[in-house]
């Protein structure tokens, strides 16, 4: 009888421990999902703003390699990869929708603080990249890759950025040629922006479709608002522009799949060399963001502000951005 009681107590204790462990695991999964949603939000913001790179911000928040691996191995581990990618995608969608109006407005009204924060985010990733590079001794070819990475992004980022961001080439799809144009735009912009440092927004400008795509995203918000207030005719009219996103998504998916395979191969075989190039790309990213911050600072000073106030604001928000990256990196390390 006593043996039965002992066995019962042991079994009860085992069940209790297992239940506690399961609760901890569920809590960790939820926390990781929330953090990845926040990271996806930052990536979404970077997708919209010209000069910012969604893939660089994926590096900044410690998700780049994992995202590339998840996409390239999606068919072999669908359940695991969906659980990982879904929170990031949801965050990115919210980031894109917010950026089409709110974040772009913030960047226009408070450029020094906004771009100072972005600069800090990028600076915060430097220790991570340094750890990747220091595993091998730097060679002449590695230094060349750093310089090439810097030069490539500086050249690309200054292409197609003059006067094309507001131009809407298409407001609806009128035939196969329009479908082909938007599919190519989606393929080109998304495949290129998977390379850290390349701005998808700038790539869309280069093919003259930045205004078209983000007009369609803005019309998506308008469609929802019209439906909520019962203005169905206006909703129908706005939705014709939203349909442009369908061929864009088709092209984007093709671009993601093909480029993910290439990048997964490179990261597996030549990770050191890839991160040498990424270091140069990050340097270019900081330079470009600083140019935007200085441009905004000059506007503030011309409007009656002081250089002292501008510099203090810039430094404060660079520090805040750097601390934000460190916080996100710590959460990633804890969840791992």
């Amino acid at each position: 009888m006593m043996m039965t009681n002992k066995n019962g107590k042991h079994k009860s204790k085992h069940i209790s421990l297992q239940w506690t462990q399961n609760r901890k695991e569920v809590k960790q999964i939820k926390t990781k999902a929330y953090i990845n949603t926040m990271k996806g939000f930052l990536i979404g913001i970077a997708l919209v703003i010209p000069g910012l790179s969604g893939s660089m911000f994926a590096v900044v928040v410690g998700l780049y390699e994992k995202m590339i691996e998840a996409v390239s191995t999606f068919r072999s581990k669908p359940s695991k990869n969906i659980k990982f990618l879904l929170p990031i995608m949801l965050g990115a969608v919210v980031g894109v929708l917010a950026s089409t109006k709110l974040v772009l407005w913030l960047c226009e009204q408070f450029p020094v603080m906004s771009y100072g924060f972005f600069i800090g985010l990028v600076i915060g990733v430097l220790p991570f990249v340094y750890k990747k590079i220091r595993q091998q001794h730097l060679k002449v070819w590695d230094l060349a890759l750093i310089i090439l990475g810097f030069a490539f992004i500086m050249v690309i980022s200054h292409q197609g950025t003059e006067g094309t961001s507001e131009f809407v080439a298409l407001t609806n799809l009128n035939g196969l040629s329009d479908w082909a144009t938007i599919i190519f735009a989606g393929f080109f912009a998304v495949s290129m922006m998977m390379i850290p440092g390349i701005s998808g927004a700038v790539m869309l400008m280069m093919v003259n479709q930045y205004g078209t795509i983000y007009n369609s995203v803005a019309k998506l918000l308008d469609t929802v608002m019209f439906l909520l207030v019962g203005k169905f005719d206006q909703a129908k009219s706005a939705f014709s522009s939203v349909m442009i996103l369908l061929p864009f998504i088709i092209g984007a998916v093709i671009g993601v799949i093909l480029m993910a395979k290439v990048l997964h191969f490179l990261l597996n075989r030549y990770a050191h060399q890839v991160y040498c190039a990424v270091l140069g790309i990050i340097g270019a990213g900081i330079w470009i963001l600083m140019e935007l911050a200085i441009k905004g600072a000059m506007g503030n000073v011309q409007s009656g502000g002081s250089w002292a106030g501008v510099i203090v604001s810039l430094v404060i928000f660079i520090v805040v951005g750097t601390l934000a990256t460190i916080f996100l990196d710590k959460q990633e390390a804890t969840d791992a």
Side-chain angles (χ1 to χ4, degrees), residues 129 145-151 153 275-285:
V129 177
L145 284 172
I146 294 172
I147 295 169
L148 285 171
F150 181 90
I153 298 305
Y275 277 101
C276 284
V278 166
L279 180 59
I281 288 167
I282 289 172

Side-chain angles (χ1 to χ4, degrees), residues 192-204:
M192 289 300 292
M193 78 180 186
M194 288 183 71
I195 302 171
I198 293 183
S199 168
V202 171
M203 294 300 101
L204 283 173

Side-chain angles (χ1 to χ4, degrees), residues 36 39-40 43 54-55 57-59 61-74 81 84-85 88-89 92 194 256 260 264 267:
N36 283 348
K39 294 178 177 182
I43 294 169
S55 53
F57 272 62
V59 174
V61 297
L63 291 177
Y64 183 71
E65 284 191 48
K66 293 179 181 179
M67 288 174 65
I68 293 296
E69 183 178 1
V71 173
S72 60
T73 62
F74 188 85
N81 290 329
F84 171 69
L85 291 171
I88 300 170
M89 291 173 63
M194 288 183 71
V256 165
H264 188 244
L267 286 167

Side-chain angles (χ1 to χ4, degrees), residues 21-48:
Q21 186 177 356
N22 288 340
R23 283 191 64 187
K24 287 182 179 178
E25 289 177 357
V26 170
K27 187 177 180 181
Q28 287 177 349
I29 291 170
K30 287 183 177 179
T31 302
K32 191 169 185 177
Y34 293 144
I35 294 296
N36 283 348
T37 303
M38 289 171 54
K39 294 178 177 182
F41 180 78
L42 289 173
I43 294 169
I45 290 173
L47 292 175
V48 173

Side-chain angles (χ1 to χ4, degrees), residues 247-264:
F248 180 81
I249 290 170
I250 293 171
V253 169
I254 297 170
V256 165
I257 293 171
L258 293 179
M259 187 59 77
K261 295 287 186 184
V262 173
L263 292 171
H264 188 244

